[in-house]
Amino acid sequence: MKDYSCATQCTWCDGCGDYGIWTALKRALVELNISPHGVLLCYDVGCHGNMSDKLLGYRFHGLHGRVLPFAAGAKLANMHLPVLAFGGDGASFSEGIGHLVHAVRSNYPIVFVLHNNGNYGLTTGQASALTPQGQPMTASPNGIPEQTLPSMDFIFSLEPTFVARGFSGNIAEMSEILKAAIKHRGFAFVDMLQACPTYNHFATHEYLLERCYTIENHDTSDFQKARALAVDTSKKIATGILYQNENVPNFYERLVPRQGKKTTLVEEVEVRDVSTLMKNFV
Ligand code: SF4
Ligand code: MG
């Protein structure tokens, strides 16, 4: 774990679920024997994005809602490197929702961790598309008029190949989920229910602690059962690996020009003299 430590102090609020996810991530990487120079961690903008300088490893902190295209591109350039992308519920289901849709349908061979704290925490607690309708928030004291986006049902409608759900208060389970997600063949969608004690006063740490339970004896190949478990959060919330299908080729495996290649794209980069070509444009 020390290999991933850096001197920068965490600035998250006391009790923030980011601490748990941050710890689980390091633990998962260490348990998989992945060193900091052997992984790429890509962060969207948000409170979670401030994790990018709170640990070592190759890290990228990009534009709001745009973490997935960058992570997918980096992975396609170097298939040897595990790539994880992190995004909040605000950016991922509003500004970046198009990227999320196409990442799932493309089955990019990357992990996506949704820091799901039910609001835009970094900008002081505005409602996101996943905030319950009617819930008073900073910029909407009477609640939002829009319906809450049914995020899990939406993800399942895209025919994902890996869906899991964790809770920021259960570090051991999050570590196991992340290890399985990293080993998954295609796009791994991981919904991390994250406590935000400063702005989320509806799904608090205590609320989640009371409702979340680890699923046991569950057939992760049963799509319909997994979807039903994922969607039904009214009384209890199932956590763990809900669905996994390793039989679907990932995006890279479907790229015909890459089939049979022993090298990665980054290894094929070479200097070319384009001066003759450029003369056509002057
Ligand atoms: Fe964590 Fe919420 Fe504070 Fe952001 S505002 S650091 S998500 S507790
Ligand atoms: Mg959020």
Side-chain angles (χ1 to χ4, degrees), residues 89-90 115 117-121:
D89 53 295
H115 285 246
N117 62 6
N119 78 100
Y120 285 90

Side-chain angles (χ1 to χ4, degrees), residues 46-48 87-91 115-122 126 128 194:
C47 289
H48 79 278
D89 53 295
H115 285 246
N116 188 353
N117 62 6
N119 78 100
Y120 285 90
L122 188 69
Q126 292 79 20
S128 76
Q194 183 200 324

Side-chain angles (χ1 to χ4, degrees), residues 34-46:
I34 299 172
S35 58
H37 67 267
V39 65
L40 175 66
L41 307 168
C42 307
Y43 292 89
D44 211 296
V45 171

Side-chain angles (χ1 to χ4, degrees), residues 106 248-257 259:
S106 301
V248 181
N250 65 42
F251 182 89
Y252 196 87
E253 291 164 336
R254 287 190 196 272
L255 285 177
V256 174
Q259 284 168 10

